[in-house]
Amino acid sequence: MFEMSRLIRNEWMKIFKRNSTYILIAILMGAVFLFAFVSSWSNNQQSQSMPWEEQVSQQMNVYEQQAAQSENMEEKIYYQDQVAIAQHRLEEDIPPPKHTGFTQYLLDSKSNITFAVLFTVIIASGIVASEFTWGTIKLLTIRPVKRGKILWAKYFTTLLFSLTLALITYLAAIIGGMMFLERGDGVLLTMVGDNIVEQSVWIESLRLYGLAFVNMIIMTSFAFMIGTLSRSNALAIGLSIFLMFTGQQLVFLFQEYAFVKFYLFTHTDFSQYLQPNPMIEGISPLFSVTVLMLYLIVFLLVSHFSFTKRDIAT
Amino acid sequence: MNEQPVVQLKNLTKKIGSKTIIDDLSLDLYPGQVTGFLGPNGAGKTTTIRMMVGLMKATSGEVIIDGYHLNKNYTKSISQVGAIVENPEMYKFMSGYQNLVHFARLQGNISKERIKEVVKQVGLESRIHDKVQAYSLGMRQRLGLAQAILHKPKFLILDEPTNGLDPAGIREFRMYLRKIAAEDGVSVLVSSHLLSEIELMCDRIAIIQQGKLISIRSVQGSDQDKRKVFLFKVSDKEKAWQIVKDNDEDIEVEIMDDRLMINLEKEQAAQINRTFIENGIDVYEIIPHKKTLEEEFLEMTGGEQIV
Ligand SMILES: Nc1ncnc2c1ncn2[C@@H]1O[C@H](COP(=O)(O)OP(=O)(O)OP(=O)(O)O)[C@@H](O)[C@H]1O
Ligand SMILES: [Mg+2]
């Protein structure tokens, strides 16, 4: 255990003694602030909308129709709940968050996680591969520590780093929002059992960020595996980023085929379960978790054997 | 030597594809002994060293260090090894000191004091907090040595360690190796192409060619050879040549520049000297010409051939 913590400290040191890491973090924070600024700016461009009561009752009508039309039980319940919440708002005079306000902005800001994933992928690709390009792998592995342990320390460090970036993204989004957006603008409501309760924006936003973090772990592990296998930084970064941007699109391309149920990117977006009708019929959160776990195990096993069994000849 | 070897290589073989890079190599290394590891480019020195530290797996054969099999008990056996394999590549974006802290953590329990002590030993005190990026080759080499001796290993492997060191640095390095071998009983394996250096530094020399060990012997060995080449500087070399030939048809004698090169035993040299003087030839100089390691090496490995 002590040994593991020493190894992780080493890896952490090697990440944070590099200037490029700080540049990545600065770019990440810059992007998040820019997002906040653009949100406030585009909101100001929008003309004054109708009063919220009107909006909510319009929305309620849509939900009622959808509830009536849906054949799927789950879907029906979802829309019925939405109708109940809308009714509650009108009866009790509780406005929803404004499109232009802090609450809605913070929930939307979870898309910034994409930047965090991008930068974590860069670190994950390099954490093993760079040791080979630098030639330091030799001095790293001729130590009284099993190669496997060194690899695990690198993996944990990568996860820790991705968690750090996710937190930085979240905190920067809050700070950016406080600087640029209007606060105190309505209330989120949700169904708990049969009761309608107030939902705090912090909990709701953390939930969304948390779901996005699942995707982050998978992409990070994928990049980690490619970096370990190829021993090449550039290849791992390139391949991971390419998949990050095309992987999700391919789900729609593959949706006619049976294997799409076992395709990685069918499952990486967990926010699909916040509404009925996930991307592909017949998948559930439990099924997704199982598939993702299987992928993760394969990624890690492949990395492990590649790292511990192959000769080091650089 | 009746001591137990620290390191045993037993029938080590490495094949990559169909190519045999190391061929049935066996070698024992003893405590307190500095062994030079020589061979032409591509002979397999680095490959052998890689197998000794577990970077590469041997196709067959075994490596035993301090009684432990490298394959079966990696951490135990490697804990007694310190090594530089080819260039000592370090993390350039960190300081020399941070690099040492990094390797110290990998070694286990190494105190701050020990790191300081080693930094002093390799003479890097004034620059240890600079980034490695700014180090000269020789300074990197010193840092490489520092990380290798941090944990006081029983066995030190150094692949071309003097590459880039200045003359003072080489001298210090040599003295240091001799010291840890003599005082701490460390066994050292040094590969180098600087044969004069190896000759000064080593007790024993192993020569490898095309993956095969072709010679192991002690450095003093060549001193005890009875036959030697003597160089005579004389007043009349043609006449002297004739005298030698008249004396004994079989003696190898050659005129080289202003000298006579004669292959003789010690006693014969004195006798020939007397004969020259008796025949009115002045003898200005007699130099016993010891074969250098370089000459022997070239003879043994057949010159510049690279595999
Ligand atoms: N990964 C590899 N794949 C194929 N052949 C290799 C590999 N690594 C080394 N070799 C071959 O093995 C042989 C021995 O190489 P090695 O690096 O051990 O030589 P060396 O004695 O250290 O040479 P030098 O004096 O140039 O350092 C060479 O012929 C080399 O081409
Ligand atoms: Mg070499």
Side-chain angles (χ1 to χ4, degrees):
Chain A
M1 226 32 239
F2 278 132
E3 187 177 49
M4 207 38 156
S5 82
R6 281 201 307 262
L7 299 183
I8 291 175
R9 262 158 67 208
N10 264 353
E11 296 306 325
W12 196 252
M13 169 168 85
K14 284 184 275 185
I15 293 176
F16 281 95
K17 290 290 174 202
R18 265 179 292 164
N19 292 336
S20 57
T21 306
Y22 295 97
I23 296 174
L24 288 189
I25 291 176
I27 295 176
L28 175 63
M29 289 169 66
V32 175
F33 288 146
L34 190 69
F35 177 85
F37 177 74
V38 169
S39 301
S40 78
W41 178 76
S42 65
N43 289 345
N44 288 336
Q45 300 290 303
Q46 279 170 13
S47 56
Q48 277 298 328
S49 49
M50 54 184 124
W52 70 265
E53 288 88 348
E54 221 170 293
Q55 259 180 12
V56 168
S57 55
Q58 268 182 17
Q59 190 69 54
M60 193 169 80
N61 289 338
V62 175
Y63 285 141
E64 267 167 350
Q65 277 172 16
Q66 276 169 327
Q69 281 165 7
S70 51
E71 289 148 20
N72 175 320
M73 202 53 209
E74 223 179 299
E75 204 178 315
K76 206 179 198 77
I77 291 174
Y78 173 82
Y79 288 121
Q80 281 169 352
D81 284 354
Q82 295 304 313
V83 171
I85 289 174
Q87 230 155 20
H88 185 79
R89 281 191 192 286
L90 294 172
E91 281 163 15
E92 306 284 323
D93 197 25
I94 306 171
K98 283 191 214 152
H99 284 299
T100 54
F102 177 81
T103 306
Q104 191 58 47
Y105 151 81
L106 192 63
L107 301 185
D108 293 342
S109 76
K110 66 136 199 216
S111 54
N112 282 320
I113 283 284
T114 308
F115 294 111
V117 177
L118 198 68
F119 295 150
T120 312
V121 158
I122 292 176
I123 296 293
S125 302
I127 198 163
V128 175
S130 294
E131 300 276 1
F132 284 90
T133 34
W134 295 332
T136 45
I137 187 71
K138 291 177 291 188
L139 292 185
L140 178 69
T141 50
I142 55 166
R143 306 291 160 183
V145 179
K146 288 218 167 80
R147 273 200 214 172
K149 264 196 189 152
I150 292 178
L151 188 77
W152 281 104
K154 282 183 175 296
Y155 183 65
F156 286 138
T157 308
T158 314
L159 290 186
L160 215 56
F161 183 78
S162 65
L163 186 63
T164 308
L165 283 202
L167 283 178
I168 288 177
T169 311
Y170 184 58
L171 292 178
I174 291 174
I175 295 170
M178 289 184 169
M179 287 195 303
F180 297 116
L181 287 131
E182 177 193 346
R183 300 195 55 208
D185 60 322
V187 174
L188 292 168
L189 292 177
T190 186
M191 271 315 233
V192 176
D194 282 337
N195 301 320
I196 295 170
V197 293
E198 216 178 278
Q199 169 80 301
S200 118
V201 60
W202 308 115
I203 292 179
E204 183 61 18
S205 57
L206 272 178
R207 199 160 70 109
L208 292 181
Y209 272 82
L211 292 179
F213 189 62
V214 172
N215 178 33
M216 196 166 177
I217 290 180
I218 298 294
M219 287 318 299
T220 301
S221 306
F222 179 77
F224 184 83
M225 172 185 73
I226 301 294
T228 309
L229 266 181
S230 67
R231 298 176 173 186
S232 145
N233 247 340
L235 184 71
I237 294 176
L239 202 58
S240 310
I241 292 180
F242 175 74
L243 276 179
M244 224 174 104
F245 289 115
T246 56
Q248 210 97 61
Q249 263 79 56
L250 291 182
V251 175
F252 298 102
L253 211 67
F254 295 155
Q255 62 188 339
E256 301 299 321
Y257 305 96
F259 75 83
V260 74
K261 275 178 91 169
F262 300 98
Y263 176 60
L264 176 63
F265 291 96
T266 308
H267 305 281
T268 49
D269 180 13
F270 258 75
S271 62
Q272 63 180 312
Y273 292 117
L274 293 178
Q275 276 150 33
N277 295 329
M279 279 191 271
I280 299 297
E281 244 175 88
I283 60 172
S284 65
L286 184 65
F287 183 73
S288 284
V289 167
T290 313
V291 172
L292 289 180
M293 286 302 256
L294 286 177
Y295 269 99
L296 203 59
I297 289 170
V298 170
F299 290 169
L300 293 178
L301 282 180
V302 168
S303 307
H304 184 85
F305 283 107
S306 167
F307 192 70
T308 54
K309 300 292 178 214
R310 279 163 67 196
D311 280 352
I312 294 170
T314 36
Chain B
M1 217 171 275
N2 48 15
E3 257 175 305
Q4 278 291 315
V6 186
V7 179
Q8 291 172 278
L9 306 184
K10 289 186 177 167
N11 311 101
L12 218 52
T13 299
K14 179 72 184 178
K15 290 184 182 152
I16 296 184
S18 58
K19 206 171 145 202
T20 303
I21 293 175
I22 302 298
D23 192 1
D24 198 28
L25 186 146
S26 296
L27 181 63
D28 287 351
L29 301 171
Y30 294 91
Q33 209 176 43
V34 182
T35 306
F37 196 31
L38 307 183
N41 289 133
K45 301 179 294 295
T46 301
T47 307
T48 307
I49 289 172
R50 280 179 194 278
M51 287 193 284
M52 293 171 88
V53 294
L55 289 173
M56 283 181 159
K57 288 219 166 55
T59 309
S60 64
E62 36 192 40
V63 178
I64 302 167
I65 300 171
D66 198 29
Y68 297 102
H69 288 250
L70 190 72
N71 273 337
K72 294 179 200 146
N73 208 332
Y74 179 72
T75 50
K76 273 259 167 55
S77 53
I78 205 74
S79 66
Q80 291 306 330
V81 180
I84 301 180
V85 184
E86 285 183 323
N87 310 311
E89 284 114 343
M90 300 280 168
Y91 301 99
K92 291 193 179 142
F93 49 85
M94 301 201 293
S95 71
Y97 187 77
Q98 285 160 347
N99 270 281
L100 291 181
V101 167
H102 174 265
F103 293 121
R105 284 191 190 137
L106 286 162
Q107 285 298 344
N109 283 326
I110 288 173
S111 64
K112 288 240 154 64
E113 286 69 43
R114 174 63 187 159
I115 297 180
K116 283 210 182 89
E117 190 186 355
V118 168
V119 168
K120 200 169 164 193
Q121 257 167 11
V122 299
L124 268 180
E125 283 156 301
S126 61
R127 302 292 299 274
I128 197 66
H129 292 292
D130 291 4
K131 281 196 175 168
V132 172
Q133 222 148 24
Y135 280 16
S136 68
L137 178 56
M139 288 160 69
R140 281 175 208 192
Q141 210 59 268
R142 286 162 190 258
L143 189 59
L145 182 64
Q147 65 76 29
I149 60 175
L150 214 47
H151 51 296
K152 301 186 176 165
K154 287 186 187 166
F155 175 44
L156 200 54
I157 308 178
L158 305 164
D159 196 2
E160 308 201 26
T162 54
N163 186 8
L165 288 183
D166 53 25
I170 293 181
R171 201 183 129 86
E172 271 169 46
F173 175 77
R174 188 169 68 222
M175 310 270 266
Y176 177 74
L177 283 195
R178 299 254 42 127
K179 184 172 158 263
I180 57 169
E183 288 176 11
D184 308 331
V186 174
S187 175
V188 187
L189 183 72
V190 198
S191 103
S192 173
H193 291 297
L194 297 175
L195 299 177
S196 53
E197 205 36 66
I198 287 280
E199 210 168 8
L200 286 172
M201 182 146 60
C202 300
D203 306 303
R204 210 166 64 131
I205 286 167
I207 300 181
I208 179 176
Q209 187 179 26
Q210 299 190 21
K212 288 198 184 76
L213 201 63
I214 56 170
S215 152
I216 313 180
R217 56 171 187 73
S218 73
V219 169
Q220 291 83 4
S222 55
D223 242 5
Q224 285 147 11
D225 280 349
K226 280 175 82 191
R227 295 190 73 82
K228 261 192 198 148
V229 172
F230 288 85
L231 296 174
F232 284 79
K233 192 168 185 183
V234 294
S235 52
D236 185 341
K237 20 180 212 210
E238 280 77 22
K239 191 173 163 195
W241 186 84
Q242 200 54 53
I243 290 168
V244 176
K245 278 288 170 195
D246 288 348
N247 216 3
D248 184 348
E249 264 297 305
D250 296 334
I251 286 183
E252 290 171 42
V253 54
E254 242 176 273
I255 296 174
M256 257 189 76
D257 303 329
D258 59 342
R259 285 187 170 82
L260 222 52
M261 246 174 72
I262 316 174
N263 195 349
L264 292 169
E265 286 176 21
K266 257 190 202 148
E267 300 77 40
Q268 283 181 308
Q271 196 191 324
I272 289 237
N273 183 31
R274 203 173 318 125
T275 320
F276 283 161
I277 294 168
E278 279 164 6
N279 285 281
I281 297 172
D282 291 337
V283 178
Y284 307 125
E285 261 180 20
I286 307 173
I287 306 170
H289 178 71
K290 191 179 139 195
K291 264 192 206 165
T292 62
L293 181 57
E294 183 175 84
E295 283 166 313
E296 279 183 58
F297 177 79
L298 291 177
E299 237 168 62
M300 243 184 280
T301 58
E304 68 273 71
Q305 166 193 18
I306 292 178
V307 261

